[in-house]
Amino acid sequence: MKLEQIETPAALIDVARMQKNIARMQAKMNTLGVAFRPHVKTTKCLDVVRAQIAAGARGITVSTLKEAEAFFAAGIGDILYAVSMVPAKLPRALALRRQGCDLKLVVDNPTAAAAIAAFGDQHGESFEVSIEVDTDGHRSGIQPEQQTLLDVGRILHENGVKVGGVMTHAGSSYELNTPEALAALAEQERAGCVRAAERLREAGIACPAVSVGSTPTALAARYLEGATEVRAGVYVLFDLVMHNVGVCMLDDIALSVLTTVIGHQEDKGWAILDAGWMALSRDRSTSRQSHDFGYGQPCLLNGTLLPGYVISGANQEHGILAAARGDPQADAQIEDITQHFPIGMKLRILPNHACATGAQFPEYHAVAPDGSSVEWQRFYGW
Ligand SMILES: Cc1ncc(COP(=O)(O)O)c(C=O)c1O
């Protein structure tokens, strides 16, 4: 199908850009000498994940058991479920392991560790569990020097649960925007996770995997001694948030929302689009960064950027394209909004946050360099 024939709004993946992003990350990991385990929550799409594995990824990271079930059914067996386990979800984890899935769990507290041990004992299953380490204070995990780290390690180790390793995610990297600050955080992430592994080993608990990563720290890391693997997710498509962080160019962003001009408010200089927040998502993360992209960056159908324009507002099924505040080039053109953006014209919007925008759609349209496209399914839910 040609781009012009696709009904709007629709999520497009520029396949050449995606492949370039995959190759860039894999080359970086090969240079650093670590295994790469992509986080597939960004796309939840088998076609994308197959491309990541073809490039050299070893195993995947998931954020839901639904992802684990779907990817295992498609033949991918090495899966890290990187969200702290709760007892109520253990039967689903057990079912996956019984089918032969090498599903690895994560915990960051003694209660969940004890529940996994008791459930495993009850069902004759030896789970493999990694301990989540907090290396930057942004979310969950146990700090490397906390006593709880050893408490959790011992609960698992002494009750027949294999400690697979330690893992951390320095998500505060999204708040940074210089190479030096990103490299420093990558080192903090590495050093904290390695330190946690050393403490467990000193306590007599084997800790084979040392798993680190976020897209910014993975791309900024200068060396990763002691780490065995890196996880990153959003790098595969990139987005405006990552552009503001400084780890991609605008023309690396592989995801865009195809939309149609459906009307105007001439006196206000607005073109109205059929992509509102239901298509673009309500993610406004760039409002906290150096460049606020509103609800997204408009481009022509062929991908050419429209500098000076922004999606300034979004209702459920309406988006508003307007001149970016104070931009002289756009202010001049906005006089002729109906001429520049006639009804029926198709545009593409680069998203603030690729994971959130992709999740608004049941499928992607994967666009080849010649402009033809095929559908790639993605899935929902937990
Ligand atoms: C546990 C964990 N690992 C890895 C990632 C990947 O981070 P990014 O999308 O920045 O690459 C995430 C993302 O939220 C995560 O939660």
Side-chain angles (χ1 to χ4, degrees):
M1 204 189 265
K2 286 283 178 196
L3 272 189
E4 294 75 9
Q5 299 168 302
I6 297 173
E7 263 191 49
T8 60
L12 309 182
I13 289 182
D14 181 317
V15 177
R17 290 183 183 187
M18 179 195 85
Q19 290 288 10
K20 185 178 158 211
N21 299 339
I22 290 173
R24 175 183 167 200
M25 182 63 83
Q26 190 63 54
K28 171 93 191 186
M29 295 304 112
N30 295 348
T31 306
L32 290 169
V34 285
F36 183 55
R37 181 185 288 280
H39 205 316
V40 302
K41 74 185 174 70
T42 301
T43 63
K44 304 195 192 218
C45 173
L46 189 57
D47 301 270
V48 175
V49 174
R50 284 201 174 121
Q52 292 169 303
I53 290 172
R58 282 190 249 154
I60 60 170
T61 313
V62 299
S63 62
T64 63
L65 286 172
K66 178 90 173 268
E67 287 162 59
E69 288 158 356
F71 286 107
F72 178 63
I76 298 169
D78 178 356
I79 301 178
L80 174 70
Y81 171 44
V83 175
S84 197
M85 195 62 190
V86 288
K89 294 179 182 166
L90 280 165
R92 279 172 77 189
L94 177 67
L96 275 167
R97 286 188 66 91
R98 289 269 156 90
Q99 290 166 57
C101 178
D102 180 15
L103 179 72
K104 302 159 181 67
L105 307 180
V106 165
V107 289
D108 72 350
N109 62 82
T111 308
I116 295 171
F119 187 85
D121 189 40
Q122 196 185 341
H123 292 87
E125 179 67 36
S126 172
F127 285 103
E128 178 178 330
V129 178
S130 277
I131 303 175
E132 183 172 3
V133 180
D134 175 11
T135 49
D136 69 345
H138 96 284
R139 196 170 68 188
S140 43
I142 306 169
Q143 289 165 22
E145 301 299 341
Q146 277 181 316
Q147 175 59 33
T148 321
L149 178 76
L150 300 184
D151 296 344
V152 170
R154 285 199 184 102
I155 291 170
L156 297 170
H157 183 64
E158 290 165 10
N159 291 286
V161 181
K162 180 179 173 198
V163 177
V166 283
M167 56 80 70
T168 190
H169 166 64
S172 65
S173 57
Y174 283 41
E175 293 153 27
L176 306 177
N177 59 10
T178 66
E180 297 72 29
L182 288 170
L185 184 61
E187 172 51 15
Q188 181 181 320
E189 184 184 47
R190 182 204 70 83
C193 208
V194 168
R195 171 71 185 139
E198 281 167 0
R199 288 193 69 216
L200 288 165
R201 288 171 190 148
E202 281 161 16
I205 301 165
C207 181
V210 179
S211 177
V212 300
S214 70
T215 288
T217 51
L219 291 170
R222 294 184 179 149
Y223 69 107
L224 282 178
E225 213 178 310
T228 60
E229 71 172 23
V230 169
R231 308 175 321 280
V234 76
Y235 79 96
V236 71
L237 300 178
F238 282 127
D239 53 28
L240 296 166
V241 167
M242 287 297 113
H243 173 69
N244 278 339
V245 170
V247 292
C248 72
M249 311 292 281
L250 286 174
D251 63 10
D252 292 325
I253 299 176
L255 181 67
S256 60
V257 172
L258 184 67
T259 182
T260 307
V261 177
I262 58 170
H264 304 97
Q265 289 288 5
E266 275 182 71
D267 53 332
K268 294 180 173 138
W270 292 353
I272 312 292
L273 312 175
D274 68 354
W277 54 251
M278 204 63 172
L280 299 167
S281 90
R282 288 196 75 98
D283 195 294
R284 287 274 297 110
S285 303
T286 62
S287 66
R288 296 191 295 272
Q289 294 183 301
S290 54
H291 185 137
D292 184 351
F293 283 94
Y295 283 85
Q297 169 62 50
C299 306
L300 295 176
L301 185 60
N302 67 8
T304 306
L305 289 166
L306 289 167
Y309 292 102
V310 69
I311 306 303
S312 63
N315 293 166
Q316 188 160 349
E317 301 295 354
H318 296 74
I320 298 172
L321 180 152
R325 213 168 290 152
D327 188 289
Q329 185 190 346
D331 278 345
Q333 291 188 359
I334 214 82
E335 306 274 307
D336 297 322
I337 191 92
T338 51
Q339 272 175 34
H340 284 291
F341 301 102
I343 288 178
M345 181 184 190
K346 291 202 168 151
L347 298 168
R348 286 161 81 159
I349 317 289
L350 301 179
N352 283 329
H353 184 183
C355 310
T357 301
Q360 307 300 116
F361 294 88
E363 77 274 305
Y364 299 109
H365 295 264
V367 184
D370 68 359
S372 64
S373 71
V374 291
E375 279 187 22
W376 287 354
Q377 295 307 310
R378 53 162 294 140
F379 54 86
Y380 287 99
W382 289 265

